[in-house]
Amino acid sequence: MATVTVLPALPQNWAEPSSPAKSISALVQRKLIPAGSAYLAHVRRAINNISFEEYDKQIEEDRKRLEALNGDGLNGEDDLGVGDEEESPDLALLDPKEWKKQDHYQVLGLSHLRYKAAPEQIKIAHRKKVLKHHPDKKAGLSHSTNDDAFFKCIQKAHEVLANIEKRRQFDSVDPHYLALEEDVPTAADFKGKANDIDFFFKEWAPVYEMEARFSKATPVPMLGSFDDPKEKVEAFYDFWYNFDSWRSFEYLDKEVNEGSDSRDDKRYTEKKNKSERARRKKEDTARLRSLVDLTLSLDPRIKRIKQEEKEAREAKKKNKGGNTAAEAKAKVEEEKRKAEEEAKQKEEAEIVARAEAKKAKAAAANAAKKARRQQRAAETGEGAS
């Protein structure tokens, strides 16, 4: 049975609208500017050959995907994959007064990135940690007073890593990499493995990748492979023997005693810190130089290059004693040409010598003839007297 719908009554003050006073304007063709979100949506639909419904469906799927990625409560921002590392129980025991001893990257959940972390990632990681460990949020949930202490550690970590200069100072003495520097390969590790090429590159390649972050010059040549040519190997060692490092050690400076207003104390502390920085810098340069020396002494490419040069010298020496037929023929022709030139020059010299001898003989005959005439003239003069 059909349902009867009763419409509401019209308002008492309702009046039928009058017809428009003016007529509708004529159609006008206008030029549309290819810009704006509507135009971009049209271009996407045209390129992908999809309908309005399919396009709206794609937009909705993209929105859901972004919501799933950004499901961290950061106002829809992309979290850039940071701030969700599992927190070690040791972090809760950190003392904010000992902030120089803490690992700032670990505090912010950036252990997997460290010096590679972008400023935006540091910002997002800090925000996540603040939302999780803020004292106001912890109030009522825990009676532990160390929550505030860890929050202070979070703030200090952000203060250091958000400042370019302070972060560079911390990166110079990052405890994670300091531990790795103590575990670099030694000569003993290669004992009995002189011919193990893969082991050499496996052990040394990560070392130079780690040290490269301190280079002022870029790009930094890496260890490479066994088949690298001599020029590339020489360029690698030339770069690392002249390595220009920005690494500094200000982060380890000792602070002036709290409450001390003595200028002498401040001067002494500054002088001591400057001396310690110079000492550590010198030791670090010597450490890197010893690594390069050890790498060079163990590098299988050096042995390969020397062997190739030796074979090239022997081949050259062998070819020098056994010339080809063409080279022998050319040599004979060259010798024949030189002999002909020498014979011609000798013949010309003999002709000149004969001419000179003939000329000298004629001059001698003329001189003798003249002497005889003079003698006869002298004898005639004497007889007349």
Side-chain angles (χ1 to χ4, degrees):
M1 184 175 179
T3 303
V4 178
T5 303
V6 180
L7 297 176
L10 294 172
Q12 294 181 358
N13 59 352
W14 183 85
E16 184 178 356
S18 59
S19 58
K22 297 181 179 180
S23 62
I24 300 176
S25 60
L27 296 177
V28 177
Q29 186 175 4
R30 300 182 183 277
K31 182 179 180 181
L32 298 179
I33 299 175
S37 58
Y39 175 75
L40 294 177
H42 162 71
V43 171
R44 294 190 187 101
R45 291 192 298 270
I47 292 176
N48 297 316
N49 194 24
I50 58 177
S51 63
F52 283 90
E53 291 78 9
E54 291 172 331
Y55 178 74
D56 292 339
K57 185 178 180 181
Q58 286 185 3
I59 294 297
E60 182 64 18
E61 290 176 353
D62 290 342
R63 185 185 66 80
K64 291 181 179 180
R65 179 178 59 82
L66 290 175
E67 284 182 354
L69 290 174
N70 302 330
D72 49 18
L74 294 178
N75 299 324
E77 287 185 5
D78 187 354
D79 65 2
L80 303 179
V82 297
D84 296 323
E85 285 184 359
E86 183 178 353
E87 294 180 356
S88 170
D90 295 336
L91 293 177
L93 303 177
L94 291 176
D95 184 355
K97 294 181 180 180
E98 301 290 335
W99 61 271
K100 278 198 171 185
K101 296 181 180 180
Q102 76 180 31
D103 185 343
H104 300 309
Y105 288 115
Q106 186 181 22
V107 169
L108 294 184
L110 297 168
S111 299
H112 63 298
L113 294 174
R114 296 198 170 273
Y115 70 93
K116 297 179 181 178
E120 189 63 24
Q121 290 175 315
I122 294 173
K123 178 181 177 181
I124 292 175
H126 171 250
R127 192 180 305 176
K128 281 189 174 184
K129 292 295 182 180
V130 167
L131 290 173
K132 183 177 180 180
H133 294 281
H134 198 282
D136 293 344
K137 188 174 183 179
K138 292 288 184 178
L141 299 177
S142 173
H143 298 288
S144 174
T145 58
N146 207 50
D147 286 336
D148 293 352
F150 183 56
F151 181 76
K152 292 178 181 178
C153 293
I154 293 172
Q155 296 296 80
K156 194 65 182 181
H158 180 257
E159 177 188 333
V160 172
L161 298 183
N163 182 286
I164 296 176
E165 186 61 29
K166 290 181 179 180
R167 183 184 180 186
R168 174 168 284 201
Q169 292 175 4
F170 175 74
D171 286 341
S172 296
V173 294
D174 187 334
H176 173 75
Y177 289 107
L178 289 179
L180 292 179
E181 288 177 6
E182 297 295 329
D183 194 34
V184 296
T186 62
D189 297 331
F190 290 86
K191 190 175 183 180
K193 297 181 180 180
N195 297 323
D196 193 340
I197 298 173
D198 293 337
F199 181 76
F200 172 84
F201 288 97
K202 179 182 177 182
E203 291 295 309
W204 284 114
V207 174
Y208 285 95
E209 290 176 3
M210 178 179 66
E211 296 291 341
R213 71 189 193 279
F214 295 126
S215 176
K216 290 182 181 179
T218 55
V220 180
M222 292 293 102
L223 188 60
S225 63
F226 178 74
D227 297 324
D228 287 342
K230 179 182 178 180
E231 294 75 16
K232 189 173 181 179
V233 176
E234 289 179 343
F236 170 80
Y237 284 107
D238 180 67
F239 180 90
W240 284 95
Y241 271 121
N242 297 281
F243 190 77
D244 190 8
S245 172
W246 56 258
R247 190 176 192 180
S248 61
F249 298 91
E250 291 92 344
Y251 191 83
L252 301 178
D253 285 355
K254 290 185 178 180
E255 302 292 336
V256 180
N257 295 330
E258 294 183 6
S260 175
D261 295 330
S262 174
R263 293 183 179 179
D264 292 337
D265 287 347
K266 292 181 179 179
R267 289 195 190 98
Y268 175 77
T269 303
E270 290 174 359
K271 183 178 180 181
K272 190 72 174 176
N273 286 335
K274 186 176 180 180
S275 176
E276 283 297 302
R277 278 184 240 132
R279 179 185 63 81
R280 292 189 178 103
K281 183 71 174 180
K282 185 177 180 180
E283 289 178 353
D284 184 64
T285 303
R287 177 192 64 83
L288 182 60
R289 181 63 180 258
S290 65
L291 287 179
V292 180
D293 287 340
L294 182 58
T295 307
L296 179 62
S297 65
L298 299 170
D299 196 335
R301 296 173 297 183
I302 303 301
K303 184 178 180 180
R304 187 210 77 207
I305 292 171
K306 289 182 178 180
Q307 182 63 27
E308 290 175 352
E309 291 177 345
K310 181 180 178 181
E311 292 174 355
R313 288 194 300 269
E314 291 178 350
K316 185 177 180 181
K317 186 177 180 181
K318 185 177 180 181
N319 290 335
K320 189 176 181 180
N323 295 325
T324 61
E327 292 175 343
K329 183 178 180 181
K331 186 177 181 180
V332 171
E333 291 178 352
E334 180 66 17
E335 291 177 352
K336 182 179 179 181
R337 184 183 63 79
K338 288 182 178 180
E340 290 176 352
E341 288 182 357
E342 290 177 357
K344 185 177 180 181
Q345 291 175 358
K346 185 177 181 180
E347 183 180 357
E348 291 176 352
E350 289 177 351
I351 293 172
V352 172
R354 285 196 297 270
E356 291 292 335
K358 185 177 180 181
K359 186 176 179 181
K361 185 177 180 181
N366 291 334
K369 187 176 181 181
K370 184 178 180 181
R372 285 196 296 271
R373 283 199 304 268
Q374 290 177 351
Q375 185 178 3
R376 284 197 299 270
E379 290 177 350
T380 303
E382 291 175 358
S385 59

